[in-house]
Amino acid sequence: MGRLIIVSNRVPSPRERSQPAGGLTVGLRDAVRGNESLWFGWSGATTTDSDNDPTPATDVVEGVTYATIDLSARQLEGFYQNFSNGLLWPLCHYRVGMMNYRRSDWETYLEVNALFARALVDMLRPDDIIWVHDYHLFPMGQALRDLGVTNRIGFFLHIPFPPWSLFRSLPGADLLLRDMEAYDLIGVQTAEDVDNLNQSFSLNDINARAQAFAIGIDPVEFHAQAVRSAETADVRRLVESLHGRTLILGVDRLDYSKGLPERFAGYAAFLSRYPQYRGQVTFLQVAPVSRGDVEEYRVLRRQLDEQVGRINGVHATFDWTPIRYMTSPVPRDILAGFYREADIALITPLRDGMNLVAKEFIAAQDAADPGVLILSHFAGAAPEMMDALLVNPYDPDEIADALALAMETTTEQRIARFGPLNAEVTRGTAGVWAREFLDALRARDVG
Ligand code: ADP
Ligand code: F6P
């Protein structure tokens, strides 16, 4: 059998303990383990030499070859910051008003996709199977076909896809989608995303069809890590610092799609409307800075700094801080222990492709004394996790009521909710997701 070639903008640094936060690398790292694979993408660094095509730098770790290229500062700005994260990200998260379109950024986006294709093509063997990931690389399959690549090529979108009535706000949206005819299989996270993308294909006479494949985690490994992590000095220090208070935990990249201002407003409403819990709870929000060069993310960061200051200013007492808010990343092996010690996970994105944090929280729990998951209806994980306390993240009072309900649930009620959630997380693993996608891709007739 040929190798698996993964192509994604973000590639993990296999030798570093602290990884950039994000569901794509987490889900895929579990998927490539044990397969002969090559993972190709951006190095995370910039080069000053933009006249010559960069040569990929390679590193082999546990049977996986990581091959990455640098981008010039100009390419990074047009491709990653502006077109991918200043336009496609808000558009696909239903935030049309936040998108910034410039024709020159689209040109840079196409240029970098073609650059990726040129850098990859010489490393390919005829029986390799290629799997391209995410919105940074919609045209990558076509760029490879233009170079004569005939291998099977699949594509997976990790973020939501909106209805055509929204997506068409992108000038020339149909051209971007037409390039997807190059793929032999297209996967998205949920049935809603399938309907939306297929609607766009059929309304524009594009010869492509999407299918749903919900991504997961490696729950067995994550559970074991959480058990180990709970005994580490860092996690013990967290627990001691609570002085017996209930721990409410939020873990998200600092991104406007995650609904952090709305979540903080919900927590403030909880403290105001349920005063009996003041001083009884601590809300720890871990939100590592993400895409800090994009203006909307900088604005959000300032907004959150102010909001946390305000809430703590109003509600804190001399011996209690209502919100602990940190913007530095926490290594995954410590984060797992935080999840395990948390009594309540508050995960309220306004829109999310999947949300692996919700699955990690469930996997980390002690089945005899599990915590409560409060989850947004608009997370891609919600249809699989209907036994969570589901909330509309736009309504602070609904978040407040869910927090109060979570505080009141008995151990029996928590166990009853946890059982089906855990069964679902155990069934739909990252390994199953990758296997089902790749089996379907291999089964495709190719021309
Ligand atoms: P997204 O892909 O939009 O970031 P997901 O919830 O699907 O959202 O994936 C986030 C991943 O990043 C999870 O695996 C989570 O453990 C990891 N992560 C999130 N926040 C942090 C953090 N503060 N430190 C380390 N890892 C994080
Ligand atoms: O999972 C969605 C996603 O956008 C990935 O494509 C990406 O790697 C991750 O979130 C984190 O974002 P970034 O790569 O921009 O740091």
Side-chain angles (χ1 to χ4, degrees):
M1 197 158 56
R3 297 173 308 171
L4 171 62
I5 310 294
I6 302 277
V7 189
S8 62
N9 175 61
R10 181 70 68 186
V11 177
S13 319
R15 295 183 191 278
E16 281 167 33
R17 179 171 172 227
S18 200
Q19 294 293 326
L24 184 150
T25 54
V26 168
L28 274 173
R29 209 177 29 224
D30 291 339
V32 295
R33 213 177 282 155
N35 291 313
E36 196 194 352
S37 316
L38 185 148
W39 193 333
F40 174 81
W42 174 46
S43 65
T46 48
T47 172
T48 46
D49 176 10
S50 56
D51 294 336
N52 301 305
D53 274 9
T55 310
T58 55
D59 189 11
V60 182
V61 180
E62 294 173 9
V64 181
T65 303
Y66 295 87
T68 56
I69 56 168
D70 298 343
L71 295 176
S72 72
R74 179 190 61 76
Q75 288 166 337
L76 189 67
E77 187 183 352
F79 159 73
Y80 174 74
Q81 288 161 12
N82 294 351
F83 198 78
S84 298
N85 290 320
L87 188 140
L88 290 174
W89 180 271
L91 177 57
C92 288
H93 286 83
Y94 297 62
R95 304 290 287 273
V96 182
M98 292 180 85
M99 73 178 212
N100 291 303
Y101 175 80
R102 271 175 302 266
R103 200 177 277 185
S104 59
D105 293 332
W106 187 334
E107 282 158 11
T108 312
Y109 176 81
L110 292 173
E111 173 194 326
V112 171
N113 271 266
L115 175 71
F116 266 40
R118 287 198 302 280
L120 177 64
V121 76
D122 289 340
M123 290 186 279
L124 293 176
R125 299 176 194 156
D127 57 349
D128 286 339
I129 189 161
I130 304 168
W131 194 5
V132 177
H133 291 265
D134 235 355
Y135 57 102
H136 316 83
L137 300 174
F138 279 120
M140 172 80 186
Q142 187 56 52
L144 285 168
R145 298 283 183 230
D146 290 345
L147 296 175
V149 172
T150 55
N151 301 51
R152 281 194 170 79
I153 312 180
F155 176 85
F156 191 83
L157 184 66
H158 291 255
I159 64 173
F161 194 87
W164 173 244
S165 55
L166 286 187
F167 197 72
R168 66 190 294 228
S169 317
L170 165 63
D174 55 321
L175 298 178
L176 188 74
L177 296 180
R178 194 163 304 282
D179 274 351
M180 296 180 78
E181 288 184 348
Y183 293 115
D184 298 303
L185 179 65
I186 296 166
V188 292
Q189 302 276 18
T190 67
E192 187 179 9
D193 301 324
V194 168
D195 288 347
N196 290 339
L197 188 49
N198 284 341
Q199 180 203 37
S200 289
F201 288 150
S202 56
L203 287 174
N204 291 288
D205 289 324
I206 292 169
N207 184 18
R209 298 289 294 168
Q211 277 175 238
F213 299 86
I215 197 170
I217 60 167
D218 179 343
V220 174
E221 194 245 21
F222 199 79
H223 180 82
Q225 193 167 50
V227 171
R228 279 194 309 275
S229 172
E231 299 310 319
T232 59
D234 284 342
V235 177
R236 292 328 312 156
R237 266 178 48 221
L238 168 65
V239 171
E240 279 159 27
S241 73
L242 296 172
H243 298 291
R245 295 186 176 103
T246 296
L247 176 60
I248 302 168
L249 180 67
V251 175
D252 311 78
R253 281 181 307 100
L254 208 165
D255 193 300
Y256 53 81
S257 66
K258 303 294 182 181
L260 292 167
E262 294 78 4
R263 185 181 311 172
F264 289 169
Y267 180 64
F270 166 69
L271 295 178
S272 299
R273 290 187 34 229
Y274 297 92
Q276 66 273 33
Y277 293 124
R278 288 183 202 155
Q280 306 298 309
V281 297
T282 293
F283 177 20
L284 171 61
Q285 175 65 54
V286 184
V289 174
S290 177
R291 306 174 190 162
D293 291 326
V294 179
E295 176 61 12
E296 284 71 16
Y297 288 74
R298 284 201 296 261
V299 170
L300 174 68
R301 191 172 177 190
R302 282 198 295 275
Q303 179 185 356
L304 293 174
D305 286 347
E306 278 175 25
Q307 199 183 4
V308 171
R310 226 176 13 252
I311 295 171
N312 281 340
V314 169
H315 293 283
T317 57
F318 63 87
D319 58 352
W320 174 58
T321 308
I323 306 185
R324 297 182 192 175
Y325 169 62
M326 50 189 288
T327 55
S328 49
V330 175
R332 206 168 152 69
D333 47 352
I334 299 298
L335 199 60
F338 287 9
Y339 288 128
R340 187 163 173 88
E341 295 300 342
D343 302 288
I344 299 170
L346 190 53
I347 304 176
T348 54
L350 303 181
R351 192 63 67 168
D352 212 339
M354 174 50 61
N355 197 292
L356 291 184
V357 169
K359 297 189 174 184
E360 290 169 353
F361 172 72
I362 292 300
Q365 295 308 297
D366 173 357
D369 185 21
V372 178
L373 172 62
I374 300 177
L375 182 65
S376 161
H377 283 290
F378 304 120
E384 302 169 58
M385 303 188 91
M386 299 303 280
D387 287 277
L389 291 181
L390 292 174
V391 293
N392 183 328
Y394 291 96
D395 183 356
D397 286 315
E398 202 171 318
I399 294 176
D401 292 341
L403 282 167
L405 185 60
M407 293 297 289
E408 286 151 22
T409 49
T410 63
T411 310
E412 289 68 34
Q413 288 168 332
R414 283 187 282 118
I415 291 174
R417 284 186 178 276
F418 173 75
L421 291 170
N422 195 38
E424 193 52 42
V425 170
T426 307
R427 187 201 58 77
T429 64
V432 167
W433 165 77
R435 206 167 39 250
E436 287 182 352
F437 185 93
L438 292 170
D439 285 351
L441 179 55
R442 287 194 181 96
R444 283 293 150 124
D445 282 336
V446 285

